[in-house]
Amino acid sequence: MDYDVIVIGGGLVGVSIAWGLSRCGQRIAILDEGDVANRAARANFGLVWSSSKGLGNAAYSRWSRTSTANWHRLAAELKAETGIDTGFVQSGGFSIRLTPTELERGIASMARLADQQGMDAEGTPPLEYEILDQAETRRRLPLIGETVAGAIFSPLDGHANPLRLFAGFHKALQQRGVHYFPHRKTTAIRHRAGGFEVAGEGWRLGAGKIVLAAGIGNTALAPMVGLSVPLSPSRGQIIVTERLKPFLSHATGYLRQTDEGSVLIGESKEATIDHQRPRGPITAVLAERALRTFPLLRDARAVRIWAAFRVVTPDGYPIYEQSERFPGAFAVACHSGVTLAANHALVLPRQISAGALSEDLSVFHSRRFHVPAAV
């Protein structure tokens, strides 16, 4: 075999896992289709966020909280290895509610989340949050708009710079001698002699294991090795402003200021993948809500607006599974590539190296979608 593991997909999920596998002593190759691919990272907001995740799936809440807590170690080790600062800040996050109705819905949602069975487990950070009324929200965020109804604050939430995180992984992978192959679209995967042969136009490579981390591309690749990665169309859109003087040291669910001064605004979700051009009506709604949240943004210039397709399964939770028909073939699909980067880099690779995913991840198997139709 040419390699111990081939990771198909050079986006954030793929390079996170590849870095972790390299730390496990594995010989790794990364196959990346290139910028022609529908990269979910284009729409990445950079939140390291767990407080609102997992309603209807306590395991996802635990998995997200664990990764959020593991981010300190990820950021420190990546910086020590590469010198690149990911800009990780964990000063707590605000879920801002513009109206009393939004606030009531948020309070009810958090109550249902907290009351779920299985929310706590040994080694998992507790779900902590505060309900803030209008006055308390204004006290903590003095520049907030006068009509903001309140907020939900969680001390575990934070944010990071996805571009520097991505650059850090790639620099570390290069230093570690991991082979990165750009412009390699995988068109065939075959199981041979206890391993896998991965091929495209004019090339082929072999490995003992493969990891499908190709985002939207996983849907086509997974059946080649007896796996299933169903995804639902989801398009997101983001506005980026010019650099402003620091005014917001905390992340919010749909607006954050980077350590370089730019403000990112984005909370759109469209059930479509028809094209990647930003839509004017969506931009208008994002801008209007941002101005109601922080009126000082009225004078800020938007320097970039973009849209991209996200990786979202039908129920919104990740997929982690190994092929039962072809052991050694793994599939990973998730929406939160930044939040889960710590677990993808520090936890998941150990399991893939050992050849088996933990029982804790069995709830994320795609068999949950194989529900017989009602008669």
Side-chain angles (χ1 to χ4, degrees):
M1 295 296 171
D2 299 306
Y3 299 95
D4 295 321
V5 187
I6 291 176
V7 177
I8 303 176
L12 196 47
V13 173
V15 297
S16 303
I17 295 170
W19 182 67
L21 287 169
S22 177
R23 288 158 53 93
C24 293
Q26 302 286 290
R27 294 177 299 119
I28 308 299
I30 302 172
L31 302 177
D32 190 12
E33 185 176 354
D35 286 339
V36 297
N38 292 316
R39 293 188 185 280
R42 291 192 181 109
N44 199 296
F45 198 64
L47 292 179
V48 181
W49 199 272
S50 60
S51 61
S52 58
K53 295 181 178 179
L55 183 58
N57 188 331
Y60 184 45
S61 177
R62 296 197 306 271
W63 181 244
S64 298
R65 276 180 278 149
T66 301
S67 191
T68 303
N70 282 338
W71 245 94
H72 286 287
R73 180 183 163 196
L74 171 63
E77 295 191 11
L78 205 55
K79 184 175 182 179
E81 189 167 327
T82 67
I84 294 177
D85 185 346
T86 61
F88 175 57
V89 176
Q90 195 172 46
S91 55
F94 290 84
S95 294
I96 294 174
R97 307 294 168 161
L98 294 178
T99 67
T101 300
E102 287 186 10
L103 183 59
E104 291 171 6
R105 288 175 179 169
I107 294 171
S109 177
M110 292 302 296
R112 292 198 303 274
L113 178 65
D115 288 343
Q116 289 185 127
Q117 290 188 345
M119 287 291 286
D120 299 318
E122 185 177 355
T124 303
L127 175 65
E128 296 181 90
Y129 67 94
E130 300 174 71
I131 306 297
L132 310 181
D133 61 16
Q134 187 178 53
E136 182 60 18
T137 302
R138 178 173 294 280
R139 189 185 72 78
R140 300 194 192 188
L141 298 173
L143 297 175
I144 204 80
E146 293 182 357
T147 61
V148 169
I152 299 167
F153 175 79
S154 173
L156 192 58
D157 292 333
H159 57 139
N161 185 316
L163 297 179
R164 278 193 243 138
L165 174 64
F166 195 60
F169 277 130
H170 270 276
K171 184 176 181 180
L173 290 166
Q174 185 177 24
Q175 291 175 173
R176 288 175 168 274
V178 170
H179 290 175
Y180 171 73
F181 297 96
H183 312 301
R184 297 289 183 97
K185 181 177 182 179
T186 299
T187 58
I189 307 173
R190 300 181 183 87
H191 185 255
R192 289 182 176 173
F196 297 89
E197 182 182 84
V198 183
E201 186 175 348
W203 61 269
R204 64 184 65 241
L205 293 172
K209 300 187 183 80
I210 59 170
V211 177
L212 306 185
I216 293 175
N218 271 358
T219 301
L221 296 171
M224 298 179 188
V225 287
L227 292 164
S228 173
V229 181
L231 299 175
S232 295
S234 181
R235 206 177 74 109
Q237 193 164 309
I238 292 176
I239 302 173
V240 183
T241 76
E242 63 182 328
R243 295 180 179 181
L244 305 176
K245 292 181 179 178
F247 72 93
L248 182 61
S249 58
H250 301 271
T252 79
Y254 58 85
L255 189 154
R256 73 181 187 89
Q257 186 173 28
T258 70
D259 56 354
E260 295 166 333
S262 299
V263 176
L264 274 64
I265 303 162
E267 62 173 342
S268 67
K269 184 188 298 181
E270 295 178 87
T272 179
I273 54 172
D274 57 352
H275 64 78
Q276 293 188 340
R277 294 189 300 277
R279 299 182 198 273
I282 300 295
T283 304
V285 171
L286 293 176
E288 189 268 342
R289 288 181 63 83
L291 290 178
R292 290 167 64 189
T293 306
F294 288 105
L296 63 83
L297 293 174
R298 71 170 64 89
D299 298 322
R301 291 182 301 167
V303 297
R304 188 165 65 252
I305 302 171
W306 80 88
F309 305 139
R310 293 163 169 160
V311 179
V312 181
T313 63
D315 61 6
Y317 305 125
I319 291 175
Y320 301 103
E321 68 179 87
Q322 178 174 195
S323 175
E324 296 175 4
R325 186 178 173 192
F326 303 109
F330 297 84
V332 178
C334 71
H335 171 67
S336 300
V338 174
T339 295
L340 297 178
N343 278 359
H344 290 166
L346 301 173
V347 179
L348 193 61
R350 293 199 301 270
Q351 300 177 20
I352 294 173
S353 294
L357 300 181
S358 75
E359 182 62 26
D360 290 343
L361 294 181
S362 62
V363 69
F364 300 118
H365 196 287
S366 66
R367 68 170 67 92
R368 67 185 189 268
F369 302 117
H370 305 163
V371 179
V375 178

